[in-house]
Amino acid sequence: MTSSSSLRATAQAAPSAIPSEGPAAPASLWQLVGSSARAALLVMLIAGVAYPLLTTGVAQILFPDAANGSLIERDGQAVGSALIGQQFASDAYFQGRPSATLGADPAQPGASVPAPYNAGASGASNQGATHQGLAEVVAQRVDQYRAANGLAAQVAVPVDAVTASASGLDPHISLANAQLQVARVAKARGLTPDQVQQLVQDHTQPRTLFLLGEPRVHVLQLNLALDAVAPTTAANKE
């Protein structure tokens, strides 16, 4: 009995021997600022330094050409990018797809002027198929295309010859578009149509994965090949 009484007394007294824990003291303002600053610094180092360095290094190792802009060189000098079209106005060159990109107007701050293939302002005209202005521009381009290439009025004009792409930077034209320009370029270069046609075939790219899209011709690469075969004078390049 004595032992049982002692055990019960000890059990009853034990809880009072354990000090009760009160609510945790709130963190001071400086503690919160410090923890937030450390977390922000950690995220900045991972997302803003380590990750970009890692992806840049992997890209340079696995895809060095694409990582550096897919540049096209001639005589050791960069003359363009395989991803961005250029404007060619001379009859001695194949002409690319129209571009609706804009650039800043140097004469009027805040205004824009046409700047074909402006890689800093990629975009389209955003004019819909029923837009009257688009219909008028396309009709004008059709007339100009037929006149420039000596085509009869009934000859169908490829759509990519008279409409701009969504990016405004498309460096390719369709094979049909290129073939309709062969006679004009051959005459301006003093070449035979067969010679120019062969260059077109040599620079025709197949469907992506042999399935997606249509065969296409890279305009800048084709024009560089023309310059290598039959160089033009500076006056003819305008």
Side-chain angles (χ1 to χ4, degrees):
M1 294 294 294
T2 302
S3 299
S4 299
S5 299
S6 299
L7 290 173
R8 285 195 297 272
T10 302
Q12 292 173 355
S16 61
I18 301 175
S20 60
E21 296 184 359
S28 68
L29 175 62
W30 290 113
Q31 288 176 322
L32 292 175
V33 170
S35 61
S36 298
R38 289 191 295 271
L41 179 62
L42 179 62
V43 172
M44 182 185 69
L45 291 175
I46 293 175
V49 179
Y51 180 74
L53 287 176
L54 175 63
T55 54
T56 299
V58 171
Q60 289 291 340
I61 293 172
L62 299 181
F63 313 103
D65 182 63
N68 290 296
S70 301
L71 298 180
I72 298 176
E73 296 184 351
R74 179 173 62 180
D75 300 329
Q77 298 293 324
V79 294
S81 169
L83 306 176
I84 301 173
Q86 295 185 22
Q87 187 174 26
F88 295 92
S90 170
D91 285 343
Y93 288 101
F94 283 86
Q95 297 169 5
R97 187 170 187 175
S99 172
T101 56
L102 302 174
D105 186 350
Q108 185 177 357
S112 299
V113 293
Y117 306 103
N118 181 6
S122 174
S125 67
N126 294 326
Q127 295 175 340
T130 59
H131 194 284
Q132 182 62 31
L134 178 61
E136 293 174 355
V137 168
V138 169
Q140 181 181 8
R141 289 172 179 165
V142 168
D143 292 340
Q144 292 173 343
Y145 186 88
R146 287 183 174 138
N149 293 287
L151 304 177
Q154 68 271 18
V155 175
V157 174
V159 66
D160 66 292
V162 294
T163 59
S165 64
S167 68
L169 308 178
D170 195 344
H172 300 93
I173 56 176
S174 65
L175 183 56
N177 187 353
Q179 289 174 337
L180 288 176
Q181 299 185 53
V182 165
R184 168 178 55 80
V185 174
K187 181 179 179 180
R189 294 271 179 170
L191 299 172
T192 66
D194 288 342
Q195 288 176 300
V196 178
Q197 181 65 42
Q198 184 59 54
L199 288 174
V200 170
Q201 294 298 329
D202 292 342
H203 291 82
T204 298
Q205 301 174 1
R207 292 180 174 88
T208 303
L209 300 177
F210 304 99
L211 178 65
L212 303 176
E214 295 293 332
R216 56 200 179 275
V217 180
H218 196 282
V219 178
L220 176 58
Q221 292 175 341
L222 175 57
N223 285 335
L224 290 175
L226 280 167
D227 279 345
V229 171
T232 63
T233 64
N236 288 335
K237 292 183 180 182
E238 298 299 328

